[in-house]
Amino acid sequence: MSAEEHEDWERLRMDPDPEADLGYESSEWDVLSVETGGRNQRLFLPADEDNLREDAFIVADASALCDVADCR
């Protein structure tokens, strides 16, 4: 890392704002519990149906999830 890159890194906030600093857009998601083949899974679906049509969804084993307050 160059000295300039290091200085840029040091200037970043410790707790960046997701939208202003990182360019993320917030969206609402619905979470469904699903059991298939004896596996407890969670299905995350966007609340906006247009996003669902764009294949925006997540399927994850329940064991893969954690509360971010507990996983720091």
Side-chain angles (χ1 to χ4, degrees):
M1 175 182 296
S2 71
E4 185 178 312
E5 289 172 324
H6 182 73
E7 289 174 13
D8 289 344
W9 179 259
E10 290 296 321
R11 280 194 292 267
L12 294 175
R13 297 184 332 169
M14 291 296 290
D15 186 16
D17 180 271
E19 290 185 28
D21 298 328
L22 303 176
Y24 293 131
E25 292 182 28
S26 180
S27 63
E28 296 291 322
W29 289 72
D30 298 322
V31 181
L32 304 171
S33 294
V34 180
E35 188 169 325
T36 57
R39 294 172 53 192
N40 190 6
Q41 297 181 317
R42 300 292 189 269
L43 180 60
F44 294 81
L45 300 172
D48 183 349
E49 191 174 318
D50 290 337
N51 289 335
L52 185 57
R53 290 192 180 121
E54 296 175 14
D55 295 333
F57 62 90
I58 299 170
V59 178
D61 281 332
S63 63
L65 306 176
C66 69
D67 187 322
V68 294
D70 298 332
C71 298
R72 291 181 183 198

